[in-house]
Amino acid sequence: MKQQFLVKSLVFTALILSASSCKAVEPENPQQQTVTYTLCNAKATAEVQQLWTVLTSQFEQKAMSGVVANIDWNTREAENVYQWTGRYPALNVFDFINIHASRDVNKQGWLDYSDLTPVTDWYNAGGVVGCMWHWQVLANNGTNRTCSPGTEPGQTSFDASKVNDPNSAEYKQMIHDIDQVAGYLKKMQKLGIPVIWRPLHEAAGNTYDFAGGGAWFWWGSQGAEVYKQLWRFMYDRLVNYHKLNNLIWVWTSQVGDDTWYPGDDVVDVVGRDNYYALQYPLAKEYKTLREKYPNKLITLAECGNGDEVDMSLWSKIWAEGSRWSWFMPWYDYNYNNGTSDEHQFAGKQWWLDAFNTGLMIDRTEMQKLLAK
């Protein structure tokens, strides 16, 4: 699970790219499927429909390259990639993790989410905007904020099942927080910015990986049924109450968690977060999700780098039919803050190899695709 500031500290073995070829690798057995991919929100904005058309047309042909903000509201990782390669990734994902400390809510806050400059600058330069939300609530100690469920002082006993109890403090807090996020998403909608929206991720945690496994985040701590109710509650609140039609909804699967799936009518894309590609092979997981959700795009929503693995593995995986819609390596807090000279996850050589495969869509190519 993610720790403070979400700094990944394990050895990751996920998205692996070829360093030997500048040409796209053709699959040995290309999937021949005639599927119509339909947005779950029939009122999606023209900008969302335009982005969706590109994503669906490129699906299983090329992968959109992506990065995540260093913790919250910036494009530091994207700038790293540009400094290393002279090219920007197509997607930058921002995180509402510190929204509770935003200045427009608490004048003493140290971060101002109402300043959309990082988002608008990225979008106006041709980039795709993504948002996720490590939804922090008050910890049991009454002081800190956390996503982690449990009874320890630094964990939270926040009960997601209270989504069914409008009189509860938890329900009122959920409404407040969702409405707060909605305010910023509305600003993006008014500016014509489509958003790839990935909330409530990794809900099942490692529940199905081994005996004693469980949820990593409070939104999954009450089980599948409560989680699905929470997802649909958020969808209804954002789409039907706040009239947010600029979102592409991404649900993150733990592969064995079929019963946690919220439903085709409230999900556009099924994602997978994989940091252990040797233990959970990417091609195998992709094929499993493709079979389970044949009418959804499948994406590698989070990943690491896997430096210790043969660098030809990505091409082999691609040729075997592992065709993620996009990928997003995690950020390196220490590198971005000058306490490490080497990027722990996706560094310079990794990104050079990624673009050299010819299988990746960068920001410039995405801009051209969206202009067609």
Side-chain angles (χ1 to χ4, degrees):
M1 61 185 296
K2 298 181 178 66
Q3 304 299 323
Q4 185 180 15
F5 295 125
L6 309 176
V7 180
K8 306 291 186 176
S9 60
L10 300 175
V11 177
F12 299 114
T13 54
L15 181 65
I16 313 301
L17 304 168
S18 170
S20 59
S21 174
C22 295
K23 298 181 179 179
V25 179
E26 294 299 324
E28 297 174 1
N29 297 297
Q31 299 183 24
Q32 299 295 329
Q33 298 190 32
T34 55
V35 180
T36 300
Y37 302 103
T38 305
L39 287 162
C40 59
N41 182 0
K43 297 180 180 179
T45 64
E47 293 84 4
V48 166
Q49 294 179 39
Q50 181 184 31
L51 175 57
W52 187 246
T53 296
V54 172
L55 292 176
T56 55
S57 68
Q58 294 300 307
F59 184 41
E60 298 197 320
Q61 305 302 313
K62 285 187 175 183
M64 177 172 65
S65 56
V67 292
V68 65
N70 185 67
I71 300 178
D72 38 46
W73 210 237
N74 57 76
T75 58
R76 292 179 193 169
E77 285 291 352
E79 293 299 335
N80 290 339
V81 174
Y82 180 75
Q83 290 298 320
W84 294 328
T85 69
R87 299 164 69 176
Y88 282 104
L91 169 70
N92 195 94
V93 178
F94 301 88
D95 196 338
F96 285 112
I97 181 173
N98 288 312
I99 194 171
H100 59 278
S102 184
R103 286 194 199 110
D104 58 336
V105 175
N106 175 2
K107 298 302 182 182
Q108 302 302 312
W110 52 270
L111 182 67
D112 188 0
Y113 277 91
S114 67
D115 180 5
L116 289 182
T117 303
V119 177
T120 55
D121 283 354
W122 180 257
Y123 179 72
N124 291 334
V128 176
V129 172
C131 287
M132 63 186 299
W133 187 11
H134 282 89
W135 191 349
Q136 296 202 87
V137 294
L138 199 63
N140 296 326
N141 61 19
T143 302
N144 299 112
R145 294 274 177 161
T146 185
C147 304
S148 303
T151 58
E152 298 296 324
Q155 299 174 328
T156 183
S157 299
F158 194 90
D159 186 354
S161 71
K162 296 298 184 180
V163 71
N164 297 311
D165 181 3
N167 295 318
S168 67
E170 290 92 340
Y171 179 94
K172 294 173 183 177
Q173 187 65 53
M174 285 186 271
I175 286 287
H176 170 274
D177 292 354
I178 292 173
D179 289 354
Q180 187 180 3
V181 167
Y184 303 118
L185 295 174
K186 279 183 180 179
K187 290 181 179 181
M188 297 181 201
Q189 180 167 264
K190 289 180 180 179
L191 293 170
I193 301 176
V195 178
I196 293 178
W197 173 234
R198 191 172 73 99
L200 304 174
H201 64 295
E202 301 175 5
N206 52 23
T207 299
Y208 303 102
D209 290 339
F210 51 81
W216 296 331
F217 302 114
W218 65 260
W219 51 82
S221 63
Q222 300 301 312
E225 293 308 311
V226 169
Y227 171 74
K228 288 186 289 188
Q229 291 167 9
L230 178 59
W231 179 283
R232 299 184 76 88
F233 177 81
M234 177 184 287
Y235 183 93
D236 180 69
R237 188 74 180 177
L238 291 181
V239 175
N240 298 319
Y241 180 82
H242 285 290
K243 309 300 180 184
L244 281 166
N245 300 314
N246 64 326
L247 308 179
I248 293 175
W249 288 76
V250 183
W251 174 69
T252 309
S253 172
Q254 299 297 87
V255 181
D257 56 350
D258 306 29
T259 58
W260 296 65
Y261 182 58
D264 284 350
D265 60 325
V266 290
V267 172
D268 295 311
V269 181
V270 173
R272 168 60 170 155
D273 296 356
N274 188 320
Y275 291 88
Y276 307 93
L278 294 184
Q279 183 177 357
Y280 306 104
L282 290 175
K284 181 179 179 181
E285 293 207 330
Y286 178 86
K287 290 179 180 180
T288 298
L289 293 175
R290 195 77 170 93
E291 291 172 0
K292 289 182 178 181
Y293 309 101
N295 61 334
K296 301 297 177 183
L297 302 189
I298 308 298
T299 194
L300 190 57
E302 292 182 23
C303 61
N305 63 341
D307 287 340
E308 71 280 18
V309 183
D310 179 1
M311 294 299 282
S312 67
L313 184 58
W314 173 255
S315 295
K316 294 177 182 177
I317 291 173
W318 191 268
E320 290 169 356
S322 180
R323 302 299 186 90
W324 309 96
S325 181
W326 68 83
F327 63 89
M328 189 193 77
W330 203 246
Y331 67 83
D332 188 333
Y333 179 81
N334 291 326
Y335 180 88
N336 287 319
N337 289 275
T339 57
S340 175
D341 293 330
E342 184 176 351
H343 201 287
Q344 183 180 359
F345 306 118
K348 178 178 180 179
Q349 191 58 51
W350 191 91
W351 276 100
L352 288 169
D353 294 339
F355 287 135
N356 283 340
T357 63
L359 297 170
M360 307 301 164
I361 299 172
D362 65 9
R363 194 173 74 177
T364 298
E365 184 176 357
M366 176 56 71
Q367 190 174 26
K368 292 177 181 178
L369 289 168
L370 289 170
K372 289 183 178 180

